Amino acid sequence: MRQRVASTLAVAGAAIGAAVAAAAPLQAQGTALAMLDRLDRGDWEMRVRGEDGGTRRICLGTGRELIQLRHPSTACKRIVVNDGESEVTVQYTCPGQGWGRTHIRRETARLVQIDSQGIANGLPFSFAAEARRVGGCAG
């Protein structure tokens, strides 16, 4: 009986050790979309390039608000296509609302380049923009 318990504990210990070893690379990778988390919080001004042009303000809390600019506050399923140190690409689908694919490149913690395209309200969209922090969010 003692030998069976010792054998069972040895197998369990080996399984736990293997699980910890397998998880180590995942911990080293860090949080998904960590680049967006490192952007400065506050009020950001986004300048859209092209014919429509114009500027828009957005209060950035996490940086992840930049992913779904044409589908704000919509529950969407996201797939991270690229999760790099200075750029991310995310594709998302919003049931009944459309979809999008957004690429964000970080120049500094206060300046990013955004390219996004997809379908919103049944119509295609595509835009390129530069966004920069301009101050604190209005209360």
Side-chain angles (χ1 to χ4, degrees):
M1 179 74 167
R2 249 184 221 184
Q3 190 173 10
R4 178 182 276 168
V5 170
S7 177
T8 301
L9 289 175
V11 169
I16 291 170
V20 169
L26 296 176
Q27 290 175 335
Q29 291 176 355
T31 304
L33 304 173
M35 183 276 288
L36 296 175
D37 296 335
R38 288 191 302 273
L39 296 176
D40 288 351
R41 310 298 179 249
D43 194 24
W44 284 61
E45 182 178 81
M46 187 172 61
R47 293 184 179 273
V48 178
R49 295 185 197 98
E51 291 179 26
D52 297 328
T55 61
R56 172 181 164 191
R57 294 274 177 122
I58 183 170
C59 181
L60 213 62
T62 67
R64 295 165 192 253
E65 297 91 343
L66 298 173
I67 296 171
Q68 294 176 212
L69 291 168
R70 293 291 167 97
H71 297 92
S73 304
T74 304
C76 304
K77 180 180 177 187
R78 294 179 178 177
I79 297 172
V80 178
V81 177
N82 178 33
D83 189 9
E85 185 69 26
S86 62
E87 59 187 324
V88 299
T89 304
V90 178
Q91 184 152 335
Y92 61 90
T93 304
C94 311
Q97 303 288 320
W99 61 273
R101 181 179 179 106
T102 303
H103 176 82
I104 303 168
R105 182 173 49 88
R106 176 182 179 260
E107 293 188 18
T108 70
R110 295 173 167 242
L111 178 64
V112 297
Q113 303 297 322
I114 304 166
D115 288 295
S116 189
Q117 60 274 330
I119 302 289
N121 299 319
L123 298 172
F125 69 87
S126 179
F127 68 89
E130 179 175 270
R132 67 177 64 237
R133 186 177 188 281
V134 292
C137 294

Short mmCIF file of all heavy atoms in Angstrom, two decimals, residues 32-94:
data_model
loop_
_atom_site.label_atom_id
_atom_site.label_comp_id
_atom_site.label_asym_id
_atom_site.label_seq_id
_atom_site.Cartn_x
_atom_site.Cartn_y
_atom_site.Cartn_z
N ALA A 32 -1.28 39.45 -23.31
CA ALA A 32 -1.62 39.71 -24.71
C ALA A 32 -1.91 41.19 -24.90
O ALA A 32 -2.50 41.84 -24.05
CB ALA A 32 -2.84 38.87 -25.10
N LEU A 33 -1.46 41.72 -26.01
CA LEU A 33 -1.65 43.13 -26.38
C LEU A 33 -1.02 44.10 -25.37
O LEU A 33 -1.51 45.20 -25.16
CB LEU A 33 -3.13 43.44 -26.59
CG LEU A 33 -3.83 42.56 -27.63
CD1 LEU A 33 -5.33 42.85 -27.65
CD2 LEU A 33 -3.23 42.75 -29.01
N ALA A 34 0.07 43.68 -24.77
CA ALA A 34 0.74 44.50 -23.75
C ALA A 34 1.19 45.84 -24.31
O ALA A 34 1.25 46.84 -23.58
CB ALA A 34 1.94 43.75 -23.17
N MET A 35 1.48 45.92 -25.61
CA MET A 35 1.89 47.19 -26.21
C MET A 35 0.82 48.25 -26.01
O MET A 35 1.12 49.40 -25.70
CB MET A 35 2.17 46.98 -27.71
CG MET A 35 2.67 48.23 -28.43
SD MET A 35 1.41 49.39 -29.01
CE MET A 35 0.71 48.52 -30.38
N LEU A 36 -0.45 47.86 -26.15
CA LEU A 36 -1.53 48.83 -25.96
C LEU A 36 -1.63 49.26 -24.50
O LEU A 36 -1.97 50.41 -24.22
CB LEU A 36 -2.86 48.23 -26.42
CG LEU A 36 -2.94 47.90 -27.92
CD1 LEU A 36 -4.25 47.20 -28.23
CD2 LEU A 36 -2.78 49.15 -28.75
N ASP A 37 -1.32 48.36 -23.59
CA ASP A 37 -1.37 48.69 -22.16
C ASP A 37 -0.28 49.69 -21.77
O ASP A 37 -0.40 50.36 -20.75
CB ASP A 37 -1.22 47.43 -21.31
CG ASP A 37 -2.37 46.45 -21.51
OD1 ASP A 37 -3.47 46.90 -21.90
OD2 ASP A 37 -2.17 45.25 -21.29
N ARG A 38 0.76 49.81 -22.57
CA ARG A 38 1.86 50.73 -22.27
C ARG A 38 1.66 52.13 -22.84
O ARG A 38 2.50 53.01 -22.66
CB ARG A 38 3.19 50.14 -22.76
CG ARG A 38 3.66 48.96 -21.92
CD ARG A 38 5.09 48.56 -22.24
NE ARG A 38 5.30 48.21 -23.62
CZ ARG A 38 5.12 47.00 -24.15
NH1 ARG A 38 4.72 46.02 -23.39
NH2 ARG A 38 5.34 46.79 -25.42
N LEU A 39 0.55 52.35 -23.55
CA LEU A 39 0.27 53.69 -24.05
C LEU A 39 -0.17 54.59 -22.90
O LEU A 39 -0.82 54.13 -21.96
CB LEU A 39 -0.83 53.65 -25.12
CG LEU A 39 -0.50 52.87 -26.39
CD1 LEU A 39 -1.71 52.84 -27.31
CD2 LEU A 39 0.71 53.46 -27.09
N ASP A 40 0.17 55.87 -22.97
CA ASP A 40 -0.22 56.81 -21.92
C ASP A 40 -1.74 56.99 -21.92
O ASP A 40 -2.37 57.15 -22.98
CB ASP A 40 0.45 58.17 -22.14
CG ASP A 40 1.94 58.14 -21.83
OD1 ASP A 40 2.42 57.11 -21.30
OD2 ASP A 40 2.61 59.13 -22.13
N ARG A 41 -2.32 56.99 -20.76
CA ARG A 41 -3.77 57.20 -20.62
C ARG A 41 -4.09 58.67 -20.78
O ARG A 41 -3.24 59.52 -20.55
CB ARG A 41 -4.25 56.75 -19.23
CG ARG A 41 -3.81 55.36 -18.81
CD ARG A 41 -4.36 54.30 -19.73
NE ARG A 41 -3.93 52.97 -19.34
CZ ARG A 41 -3.09 52.24 -20.02
NH1 ARG A 41 -2.56 52.68 -21.13
NH2 ARG A 41 -2.76 51.03 -19.62
N GLY A 42 -5.31 58.96 -21.18
CA GLY A 42 -5.72 60.35 -21.28
C GLY A 42 -6.47 60.63 -22.56
O GLY A 42 -6.95 59.73 -23.24
N ASP A 43 -6.57 61.91 -22.89
CA ASP A 43 -7.28 62.37 -24.07
C ASP A 43 -6.35 62.28 -25.28
O ASP A 43 -5.25 62.82 -25.27
CB ASP A 43 -7.73 63.82 -23.85
CG ASP A 43 -8.75 64.29 -24.86
OD1 ASP A 43 -9.45 63.44 -25.45
OD2 ASP A 43 -8.85 65.51 -25.07
N TRP A 44 -6.81 61.59 -26.33
CA TRP A 44 -6.03 61.42 -27.55
C TRP A 44 -6.78 62.05 -28.71
O TRP A 44 -8.00 61.99 -28.78
CB TRP A 44 -5.81 59.94 -27.83
CG TRP A 44 -4.77 59.30 -26.96
CD1 TRP A 44 -4.80 59.18 -25.60
CD2 TRP A 44 -3.57 58.69 -27.39
NE1 TRP A 44 -3.68 58.53 -25.16
CE2 TRP A 44 -2.91 58.21 -26.24
CE3 TRP A 44 -2.99 58.49 -28.63
CZ2 TRP A 44 -1.70 57.55 -26.30
CZ3 TRP A 44 -1.77 57.81 -28.69
CH2 TRP A 44 -1.14 57.36 -27.53
N GLU A 45 -6.03 62.68 -29.61
CA GLU A 45 -6.61 63.24 -30.82
C GLU A 45 -6.19 62.35 -31.99
O GLU A 45 -5.01 62.04 -32.16
CB GLU A 45 -6.09 64.65 -31.05
CG GLU A 45 -6.70 65.30 -32.28
CD GLU A 45 -6.22 66.71 -32.45
OE1 GLU A 45 -5.09 66.89 -32.98
OE2 GLU A 45 -6.95 67.63 -32.05
N MET A 46 -7.18 61.95 -32.77
CA MET A 46 -6.94 61.08 -33.91
C MET A 46 -7.19 61.88 -35.19
O MET A 46 -8.26 62.46 -35.37
CB MET A 46 -7.87 59.87 -33.85
CG MET A 46 -7.56 58.84 -34.90
SD MET A 46 -8.50 57.32 -34.67
CE MET A 46 -10.15 57.94 -34.84
N ARG A 47 -6.18 61.94 -36.05
CA ARG A 47 -6.28 62.63 -37.34
C ARG A 47 -6.36 61.57 -38.43
O ARG A 47 -5.40 60.85 -38.67
CB ARG A 47 -5.07 63.53 -37.59
CG ARG A 47 -5.00 64.69 -36.63
CD ARG A 47 -3.84 65.60 -37.00
NE ARG A 47 -3.80 66.72 -36.08
CZ ARG A 47 -4.48 67.83 -36.24
NH1 ARG A 47 -5.26 67.98 -37.27
NH2 ARG A 47 -4.38 68.80 -35.36
N VAL A 48 -7.50 61.54 -39.10
CA VAL A 48 -7.72 60.57 -40.18
C VAL A 48 -7.12 61.13 -41.46
O VAL A 48 -7.35 62.29 -41.81
CB VAL A 48 -9.22 60.28 -40.35
CG1 VAL A 48 -9.46 59.31 -41.50
CG2 VAL A 48 -9.80 59.73 -39.05
N ARG A 49 -6.35 60.30 -42.16
CA ARG A 49 -5.76 60.70 -43.44
C ARG A 49 -6.77 60.46 -44.57
O ARG A 49 -7.62 59.61 -44.46
CB ARG A 49 -4.50 59.88 -43.71
CG ARG A 49 -3.41 60.15 -42.73
CD ARG A 49 -2.14 59.39 -43.14
NE ARG A 49 -1.24 59.32 -42.03
CZ ARG A 49 -1.10 58.29 -41.21
NH1 ARG A 49 -1.82 57.21 -41.39
NH2 ARG A 49 -0.26 58.33 -40.21
N GLY A 50 -6.63 61.20 -45.65
CA GLY A 50 -7.47 60.97 -46.82
C GLY A 50 -8.47 62.08 -47.05
O GLY A 50 -8.43 63.14 -46.43
N GLU A 51 -9.39 61.81 -47.96
CA GLU A 51 -10.38 62.80 -48.38
C GLU A 51 -11.26 63.26 -47.23
O GLU A 51 -11.53 64.44 -47.07
CB GLU A 51 -11.25 62.24 -49.49
CG GLU A 51 -10.51 62.04 -50.80
CD GLU A 51 -11.41 61.46 -51.86
OE1 GLU A 51 -12.63 61.65 -51.78
OE2 GLU A 51 -10.88 60.82 -52.77
N ASP A 52 -11.75 62.31 -46.44
CA ASP A 52 -12.65 62.67 -45.33
C ASP A 52 -11.92 63.45 -44.26
O ASP A 52 -12.47 64.36 -43.66
CB ASP A 52 -13.29 61.43 -44.72
CG ASP A 52 -14.17 60.69 -45.72
OD1 ASP A 52 -14.76 61.36 -46.57
OD2 ASP A 52 -14.23 59.47 -45.62
N GLY A 53 -10.68 63.08 -44.02
CA GLY A 53 -9.84 63.77 -43.05
C GLY A 53 -10.54 63.97 -41.72
O GLY A 53 -11.29 63.14 -41.25
N GLY A 54 -10.30 65.08 -41.13
CA GLY A 54 -10.93 65.41 -39.86
C GLY A 54 -10.19 64.86 -38.67
O GLY A 54 -9.27 64.07 -38.79
N THR A 55 -10.59 65.37 -37.50
CA THR A 55 -10.01 64.90 -36.25
C THR A 55 -11.12 64.41 -35.34
O THR A 55 -12.29 64.77 -35.50
CB THR A 55 -9.23 66.02 -35.53
OG1 THR A 55 -10.12 67.07 -35.23
CG2 THR A 55 -8.07 66.51 -36.38
N ARG A 56 -10.73 63.60 -34.40
CA ARG A 56 -11.66 63.04 -33.43
C ARG A 56 -10.92 62.86 -32.12
O ARG A 56 -9.74 62.55 -32.11
CB ARG A 56 -12.15 61.69 -33.98
CG ARG A 56 -12.96 60.89 -33.02
CD ARG A 56 -13.37 59.58 -33.66
NE ARG A 56 -13.82 58.67 -32.63
CZ ARG A 56 -14.04 57.41 -32.83
NH1 ARG A 56 -13.85 56.87 -34.00
NH2 ARG A 56 -14.45 56.64 -31.85
N ARG A 57 -11.60 63.08 -31.02
CA ARG A 57 -11.01 62.89 -29.69
C ARG A 57 -11.53 61.59 -29.09
O ARG A 57 -12.68 61.23 -29.29
CB ARG A 57 -11.37 64.04 -28.76
CG ARG A 57 -10.79 65.37 -29.15
CD ARG A 57 -9.39 65.51 -28.59
NE ARG A 57 -8.77 66.75 -29.00
CZ ARG A 57 -8.33 67.66 -28.16
NH1 ARG A 57 -8.45 67.50 -26.87
NH2 ARG A 57 -7.76 68.74 -28.62
N ILE A 58 -10.66 60.93 -28.34
CA ILE A 58 -11.03 59.71 -27.65
C ILE A 58 -10.31 59.67 -26.31
O ILE A 58 -9.12 60.01 -26.23
CB ILE A 58 -10.72 58.45 -28.49
CG1 ILE A 58 -11.17 57.19 -27.79
CG2 ILE A 58 -9.26 58.36 -28.85
CD1 ILE A 58 -11.12 55.94 -28.65
N CYS A 59 -11.05 59.33 -25.25
CA CYS A 59 -10.45 59.20 -23.93
C CYS A 59 -9.93 57.77 -23.81
O CYS A 59 -10.71 56.82 -23.80
CB CYS A 59 -11.49 59.48 -22.84
SG CYS A 59 -10.81 59.35 -21.17
N LEU A 60 -8.63 57.65 -23.74
CA LEU A 60 -7.99 56.33 -23.71
C LEU A 60 -7.78 55.87 -22.28
O LEU A 60 -7.09 56.54 -21.51
CB LEU A 60 -6.65 56.43 -24.44
CG LEU A 60 -6.17 55.22 -25.20
CD1 LEU A 60 -7.13 54.88 -26.31
CD2 LEU A 60 -4.80 55.51 -25.78
N GLY A 61 -8.41 54.75 -21.95
CA GLY A 61 -8.26 54.17 -20.61
C GLY A 61 -7.28 53.02 -20.59
O GLY A 61 -6.49 52.88 -19.67
N THR A 62 -7.31 52.19 -21.63
CA THR A 62 -6.44 51.01 -21.66
C THR A 62 -5.61 50.91 -22.92
O THR A 62 -4.71 50.10 -22.98
CB THR A 62 -7.27 49.71 -21.56
OG1 THR A 62 -8.04 49.57 -22.76
CG2 THR A 62 -8.17 49.70 -20.35
N GLY A 63 -5.93 51.66 -23.93
CA GLY A 63 -5.28 51.54 -25.23
C GLY A 63 -6.03 50.60 -26.15
O GLY A 63 -5.96 50.68 -27.36
N ARG A 64 -6.80 49.71 -25.58
CA ARG A 64 -7.55 48.73 -26.37
C ARG A 64 -8.76 49.36 -27.06
O ARG A 64 -9.33 48.76 -27.97
CB ARG A 64 -7.96 47.56 -25.48
CG ARG A 64 -6.73 46.80 -25.00
CD ARG A 64 -7.01 45.88 -23.84
NE ARG A 64 -5.76 45.42 -23.27
CZ ARG A 64 -5.29 44.19 -23.43
NH1 ARG A 64 -5.98 43.30 -24.10
NH2 ARG A 64 -4.15 43.84 -22.89
N GLU A 65 -9.13 50.57 -26.66
CA GLU A 65 -10.23 51.28 -27.32
C GLU A 65 -9.90 51.56 -28.78
O GLU A 65 -10.79 51.75 -29.60
CB GLU A 65 -10.51 52.62 -26.62
CG GLU A 65 -10.98 52.51 -25.20
CD GLU A 65 -9.83 52.55 -24.19
OE1 GLU A 65 -8.66 52.35 -24.58
OE2 GLU A 65 -10.10 52.78 -23.01
N LEU A 66 -8.62 51.58 -29.12
CA LEU A 66 -8.20 51.87 -30.49
C LEU A 66 -8.48 50.72 -31.45
O LEU A 66 -8.46 50.91 -32.66
CB LEU A 66 -6.71 52.21 -30.51
CG LEU A 66 -6.29 53.43 -29.71
CD1 LEU A 66 -4.77 53.56 -29.68
CD2 LEU A 66 -6.93 54.68 -30.27
N ILE A 67 -8.76 49.55 -30.93
CA ILE A 67 -8.99 48.38 -31.79
C ILE A 67 -10.30 48.49 -32.55
O ILE A 67 -10.35 48.22 -33.74
CB ILE A 67 -8.96 47.07 -30.96
CG1 ILE A 67 -7.57 46.86 -30.35
CG2 ILE A 67 -9.37 45.88 -31.81
CD1 ILE A 67 -7.51 45.72 -29.35
N GLN A 68 -11.36 48.87 -31.88
CA GLN A 68 -12.70 48.88 -32.47
C GLN A 68 -13.25 50.29 -32.62
O GLN A 68 -14.31 50.61 -32.11
CB GLN A 68 -13.66 48.05 -31.61
CG GLN A 68 -13.35 46.59 -31.57
CD GLN A 68 -14.27 45.83 -30.63
OE1 GLN A 68 -13.85 44.87 -30.04
NE2 GLN A 68 -15.52 46.24 -30.49
N LEU A 69 -12.58 51.14 -33.33
CA LEU A 69 -13.01 52.53 -33.46
C LEU A 69 -14.34 52.66 -34.21
O LEU A 69 -15.11 53.57 -33.94
CB LEU A 69 -11.93 53.36 -34.14
CG LEU A 69 -10.67 53.55 -33.28
CD1 LEU A 69 -9.54 54.11 -34.12
CD2 LEU A 69 -10.97 54.44 -32.09
N ARG A 70 -14.63 51.76 -35.13
CA ARG A 70 -15.90 51.81 -35.86
C ARG A 70 -16.97 50.93 -35.23
O ARG A 70 -18.10 50.90 -35.70
CB ARG A 70 -15.70 51.40 -37.32
CG ARG A 70 -14.86 52.37 -38.12
CD ARG A 70 -15.61 53.69 -38.33
NE ARG A 70 -14.78 54.75 -38.81
CZ ARG A 70 -14.66 55.11 -40.07
NH1 ARG A 70 -15.31 54.48 -41.01
NH2 ARG A 70 -13.86 56.10 -40.40
N HIS A 71 -16.62 50.21 -34.18
CA HIS A 71 -17.58 49.38 -33.44
C HIS A 71 -17.40 49.60 -31.94
O HIS A 71 -17.20 48.65 -31.18
CB HIS A 71 -17.37 47.89 -33.76
CG HIS A 71 -17.59 47.54 -35.19
ND1 HIS A 71 -16.56 47.53 -36.12
CD2 HIS A 71 -18.72 47.19 -35.86
CE1 HIS A 71 -17.05 47.18 -37.30
NE2 HIS A 71 -18.35 46.98 -37.17
N PRO A 72 -17.45 50.86 -31.48
CA PRO A 72 -17.22 51.12 -30.05
C PRO A 72 -18.34 50.52 -29.19
O PRO A 72 -19.48 50.43 -29.62
CB PRO A 72 -17.19 52.64 -29.95
CG PRO A 72 -18.00 53.10 -31.12
CD PRO A 72 -17.78 52.08 -32.20
N SER A 73 -17.99 50.11 -28.01
CA SER A 73 -18.94 49.60 -27.02
C SER A 73 -19.77 48.43 -27.53
O SER A 73 -20.89 48.22 -27.09
CB SER A 73 -19.88 50.72 -26.55
OG SER A 73 -19.14 51.79 -26.04
N THR A 74 -19.24 47.68 -28.49
CA THR A 74 -19.95 46.52 -29.02
C THR A 74 -19.21 45.27 -28.56
O THR A 74 -17.98 45.22 -28.62
CB THR A 74 -19.99 46.57 -30.57
OG1 THR A 74 -20.58 47.80 -30.96
CG2 THR A 74 -20.79 45.43 -31.13
N ALA A 75 -19.96 44.28 -28.13
CA ALA A 75 -19.36 43.01 -27.73
C ALA A 75 -18.94 42.24 -28.98
O ALA A 75 -19.79 41.78 -29.73
CB ALA A 75 -20.34 42.19 -26.90
N CYS A 76 -17.65 42.16 -29.21
CA CYS A 76 -17.11 41.52 -30.40
C CYS A 76 -16.12 40.44 -30.01
O CYS A 76 -15.47 40.54 -28.97
CB CYS A 76 -16.40 42.54 -31.29
SG CYS A 76 -17.43 43.94 -31.77
N LYS A 77 -16.01 39.46 -30.84
CA LYS A 77 -15.02 38.39 -30.63
C LYS A 77 -13.73 38.82 -31.32
O LYS A 77 -13.75 39.18 -32.50
CB LYS A 77 -15.52 37.08 -31.21
CG LYS A 77 -14.55 35.95 -31.04
CD LYS A 77 -15.07 34.67 -31.64
CE LYS A 77 -14.00 33.59 -31.50
NZ LYS A 77 -14.39 32.39 -32.20
N ARG A 78 -12.62 38.81 -30.58
CA ARG A 78 -11.35 39.26 -31.12
C ARG A 78 -10.39 38.10 -31.32
O ARG A 78 -10.33 37.19 -30.50
CB ARG A 78 -10.69 40.27 -30.17
CG ARG A 78 -11.46 41.55 -30.03
CD ARG A 78 -10.76 42.47 -29.06
NE ARG A 78 -11.47 43.75 -28.94
CZ ARG A 78 -11.11 44.70 -28.12
NH1 ARG A 78 -10.06 44.56 -27.34
NH2 ARG A 78 -11.80 45.82 -28.07
N ILE A 79 -9.62 38.20 -32.39
CA ILE A 79 -8.54 37.26 -32.65
C ILE A 79 -7.27 38.09 -32.84
O ILE A 79 -7.23 38.98 -33.70
CB ILE A 79 -8.80 36.42 -33.91
CG1 ILE A 79 -10.04 35.57 -33.72
CG2 ILE A 79 -7.59 35.55 -34.25
CD1 ILE A 79 -10.50 34.85 -34.97
N VAL A 80 -6.26 37.83 -32.03
CA VAL A 80 -5.00 38.56 -32.14
C VAL A 80 -4.18 37.90 -33.25
O VAL A 80 -3.82 36.73 -33.16
CB VAL A 80 -4.23 38.53 -30.80
CG1 VAL A 80 -2.90 39.24 -30.94
CG2 VAL A 80 -5.07 39.18 -29.70
N VAL A 81 -3.92 38.66 -34.31
CA VAL A 81 -3.17 38.16 -35.45
C VAL A 81 -1.68 38.36 -35.23
O VAL A 81 -0.87 37.49 -35.53
CB VAL A 81 -3.63 38.88 -36.75
CG1 VAL A 81 -2.82 38.44 -37.95
CG2 VAL A 81 -5.12 38.64 -36.98
N ASN A 82 -1.30 39.53 -34.70
CA ASN A 82 0.10 39.85 -34.42
C ASN A 82 0.15 40.60 -33.10
O ASN A 82 -0.59 41.55 -32.90
CB ASN A 82 0.68 40.71 -35.55
CG ASN A 82 2.11 41.12 -35.30
OD1 ASN A 82 2.88 40.39 -34.69
ND2 ASN A 82 2.47 42.30 -35.77
N ASP A 83 1.04 40.18 -32.23
CA ASP A 83 1.17 40.80 -30.91
C ASP A 83 2.64 41.08 -30.64
O ASP A 83 3.32 40.32 -29.97
CB ASP A 83 0.59 39.86 -29.85
CG ASP A 83 0.48 40.50 -28.48
OD1 ASP A 83 0.70 41.73 -28.37
OD2 ASP A 83 0.18 39.78 -27.52
N GLY A 84 3.13 42.16 -31.23
CA GLY A 84 4.54 42.49 -31.12
C GLY A 84 4.84 43.54 -30.08
O GLY A 84 3.94 44.10 -29.44
N GLU A 85 6.10 43.82 -29.93
CA GLU A 85 6.58 44.81 -28.96
C GLU A 85 6.13 46.22 -29.33
O GLU A 85 5.81 47.02 -28.47
CB GLU A 85 8.11 44.76 -28.90
CG GLU A 85 8.72 45.66 -27.85
CD GLU A 85 8.44 45.21 -26.43
OE1 GLU A 85 8.21 44.01 -26.20
OE2 GLU A 85 8.44 46.08 -25.54
N SER A 86 6.08 46.53 -30.64
CA SER A 86 5.71 47.88 -31.05
C SER A 86 4.53 47.92 -32.03
O SER A 86 4.18 48.99 -32.52
CB SER A 86 6.91 48.57 -31.69
OG SER A 86 7.31 47.87 -32.86
N GLU A 87 3.92 46.77 -32.32
CA GLU A 87 2.74 46.78 -33.18
C GLU A 87 1.87 45.56 -32.89
O GLU A 87 2.35 44.52 -32.47
CB GLU A 87 3.11 46.84 -34.65
CG GLU A 87 3.97 45.71 -35.13
CD GLU A 87 4.44 45.92 -36.56
OE1 GLU A 87 3.68 46.47 -37.38
OE2 GLU A 87 5.57 45.53 -36.85
N VAL A 88 0.57 45.77 -33.11
CA VAL A 88 -0.41 44.70 -32.94
C VAL A 88 -1.39 44.73 -34.11
O VAL A 88 -1.63 45.79 -34.69
CB VAL A 88 -1.19 44.80 -31.60
CG1 VAL A 88 -0.26 44.71 -30.40
CG2 VAL A 88 -2.02 46.07 -31.54
N THR A 89 -1.92 43.56 -34.42
CA THR A 89 -2.98 43.45 -35.41
C THR A 89 -4.06 42.57 -34.81
O THR A 89 -3.76 41.48 -34.32
CB THR A 89 -2.48 42.83 -36.73
OG1 THR A 89 -1.39 43.61 -37.22
CG2 THR A 89 -3.59 42.77 -37.77
N VAL A 90 -5.28 43.07 -34.82
CA VAL A 90 -6.41 42.34 -34.23
C VAL A 90 -7.55 42.30 -35.25
O VAL A 90 -7.89 43.33 -35.84
CB VAL A 90 -6.90 43.01 -32.93
CG1 VAL A 90 -8.11 42.29 -32.36
CG2 VAL A 90 -5.78 43.08 -31.91
N GLN A 91 -8.10 41.12 -35.44
CA GLN A 91 -9.30 40.98 -36.26
C GLN A 91 -10.46 40.69 -35.31
O GLN A 91 -10.31 39.92 -34.36
CB GLN A 91 -9.15 39.84 -37.27
CG GLN A 91 -10.35 39.75 -38.18
CD GLN A 91 -10.01 39.17 -39.53
OE1 GLN A 91 -8.88 39.25 -39.99
NE2 GLN A 91 -11.00 38.60 -40.17
N TYR A 92 -11.60 41.32 -35.57
CA TYR A 92 -12.73 41.12 -34.68
C TYR A 92 -14.02 40.98 -35.48
O TYR A 92 -14.14 41.47 -36.60
CB TYR A 92 -12.84 42.27 -33.66
CG TYR A 92 -13.06 43.63 -34.27
CD1 TYR A 92 -14.35 44.12 -34.51
CD2 TYR A 92 -11.99 44.45 -34.60
CE1 TYR A 92 -14.55 45.37 -35.07
CE2 TYR A 92 -12.19 45.69 -35.16
CZ TYR A 92 -13.46 46.15 -35.39
OH TYR A 92 -13.67 47.39 -35.94
N THR A 93 -14.98 40.27 -34.88
CA THR A 93 -16.29 40.06 -35.49
C THR A 93 -17.35 40.46 -34.46
O THR A 93 -17.29 40.02 -33.31
CB THR A 93 -16.49 38.58 -35.88
OG1 THR A 93 -15.43 38.20 -36.75
CG2 THR A 93 -17.81 38.37 -36.57
N CYS A 94 -18.30 41.27 -34.89
CA CYS A 94 -19.37 41.75 -34.02
C CYS A 94 -20.70 41.22 -34.59
O CYS A 94 -21.16 41.74 -35.61
CB CYS A 94 -19.40 43.27 -33.98
SG CYS A 94 -17.78 44.02 -33.67
#
